[in-house]
Amino acid sequence: MAWPAGAGTLRLAHSTWVGYGPFYIARDKGFFKEEGVDVDLTIMEDTPAKMGALQAGQIDLVASTVDEFPIYMPPGKTLRYILAVDNSKGGDGIVARKDIKSIADLKGKKVAFETGSVSQFFFDAMLKEAGMSENDVEVVNMTATDAGVAFVAGQVDAAVTWEPALSQGANSANGHLLLSSADKPGLITDVVAVTPETAATHQADIKAFVRAWYRALEFIKTNPDEANQIMASGVGGWLADPAVFKQTLAGIEYLDKNANNTFFGSAAAPGQISKTLGYALDIWSEKGRIQAKVKPDDLIDYGFIGG
């Protein structure tokens, strides 16, 4: 197939996560180029550095959770969410001692999670639904992995974490799964965001990027084993083994065109993304983490999900 002339280049940064595997299928199978765009993929684990590079124009696209972007927007700066890529359906959650049966039972208990992370966002959203706040528990700040280890060791009463630490905690002698992202669909969702300037000047490139994403998901359906090989090799890190990648994949779902249409909705009838972003703005604002004064409508761009 002849590639379209004059294809632009987009630079995408993401962390090591199973949800971002299809980017590598789109690259390695030539879908990006066939749709009319070159995409450079970079793994960046340092979130502040990644977000700073996005705002500075050093990269064009960042993939991260819905809740995370507003934390890193300077005053007067906004971003545009242009595509939803995956939804956590059990890959994140809360493990607790077996005698703790509800969020309300966590009152006065030690709960470990990483502050400023999606784990804190998920936990605070659950507290809010239960009419509680972090003031009702004893917060122990540590990474998601360390939180899981601390829980298994009996050092805390509960932990907010993700796989594989989530299953390890749930299967420990004194633990169980209290709640997972499967119980709250759409709350932990990875999206791709760009600056308003990139959205305006790279419209055709971004639409090509989105079309290639959808093609990658179709490839996964028809070639699952080859897809897992490509995705594991591309994402690398702790997911470099295709067997581990496949196992971790069970905790998420990739979002195709129909799912994006539902998740985004429209300006007239916003979907779940608006609710999730509203939660995020409320929770992070209460903690003094939001610098830019924005509403969900300021950040959601409905013009690209059609590809």
Side-chain angles (χ1 to χ4, degrees):
M1 177 181 291
W3 295 337
T9 299
L10 295 174
R11 298 155 297 178
L12 168 68
H14 65 85
S15 60
T16 302
W17 178 236
V18 66
Y20 306 139
F23 295 139
Y24 292 88
I25 292 176
R27 182 192 70 182
D28 293 358
K29 301 304 291 187
F31 298 156
F32 283 136
K33 286 190 175 182
E34 287 175 6
E35 293 299 333
V37 64
D38 282 318
V39 179
D40 292 334
L41 301 174
T42 301
I43 294 175
M44 295 180 67
E45 307 292 1
D46 187 322
T47 300
K50 185 166 51 190
M51 297 298 187
L54 179 64
Q55 292 287 358
Q58 295 166 349
I59 53 178
D60 305 299
L61 309 144
V62 163
S64 191
T65 52
V66 169
D67 72 286
E68 199 162 50
F69 288 100
I71 299 174
Y72 298 96
M73 293 189 305
K77 294 284 189 178
T78 59
L79 293 170
R80 297 289 185 271
Y81 294 10
I82 56 97
L83 176 71
V85 295
D86 72 274
N87 182 49
S88 181
K89 60 168 188 177
D92 300 78
I94 306 169
V95 288
R97 292 193 334 242
K98 289 182 177 177
D99 60 307
I100 296 172
K101 305 294 187 183
S102 68
I103 295 294
D105 291 342
L106 290 172
K107 190 167 185 177
K109 303 296 195 298
K110 287 185 177 180
V111 183
F113 56 82
E114 184 176 1
T115 58
S117 73
V118 70
S119 294
Q120 184 178 27
F121 167 67
F122 182 74
F123 185 54
D124 277 31
M126 297 303 95
L127 288 174
K128 188 181 286 285
E129 285 192 3
M132 298 167 63
S133 73
E134 285 185 21
N135 293 330
D136 293 309
V137 303
E138 183 179 341
V139 173
V140 181
N141 180 23
M142 55 180 68
T143 68
T145 299
D146 289 345
V149 171
F151 174 74
V152 172
Q155 297 169 355
V156 295
D157 302 300
V160 191
T161 185
W162 52 68
E163 295 294 5
L166 187 67
S167 290
Q168 292 165 358
N171 295 325
S172 62
N174 298 310
H176 76 116
L177 182 64
L178 179 63
L179 193 71
S180 85
S181 52
D183 302 306
K184 301 293 176 182
L187 194 59
I188 301 181
T189 302
D190 285 299
V191 296
V192 176
V194 302
T195 63
E197 293 77 16
T198 297
T201 59
H202 289 272
Q203 289 188 29
D205 294 331
I206 295 172
K207 288 183 177 181
F209 169 83
V210 171
R211 291 194 301 271
W213 169 265
Y214 295 150
R215 287 183 64 182
L217 299 193
E218 290 300 315
F219 181 85
I220 293 171
K221 292 177 184 177
T222 55
N223 304 273
D225 292 338
E226 183 183 356
N228 285 338
Q229 290 278 352
I230 294 171
M231 294 190 291
S233 176
V235 174
W238 64 279
L239 290 165
D241 183 342
V244 174
F245 193 97
K246 181 179 179 180
Q247 181 182 22
T248 310
L249 193 57
I252 70 157
E253 60 180 343
Y254 292 126
L255 302 179
D256 61 13
K257 187 173 183 178
N258 287 336
N260 265 273
N261 285 332
T262 299
F263 186 65
F264 270 75
S266 64
Q272 177 64 40
I273 190 172
S274 182
K275 296 178 183 178
T276 299
L277 187 49
Y279 261 134
L281 293 172
D282 287 345
I283 287 169
W284 294 132
S285 292
E286 289 170 2
K287 299 182 185 312
R289 300 293 302 275
I290 303 290
Q291 302 177 64
K293 293 182 179 180
V294 293
K295 309 182 299 298
D297 286 348
D298 298 329
L299 305 180
I300 302 169
D301 194 320
Y302 301 95
F304 292 102
I305 56 173

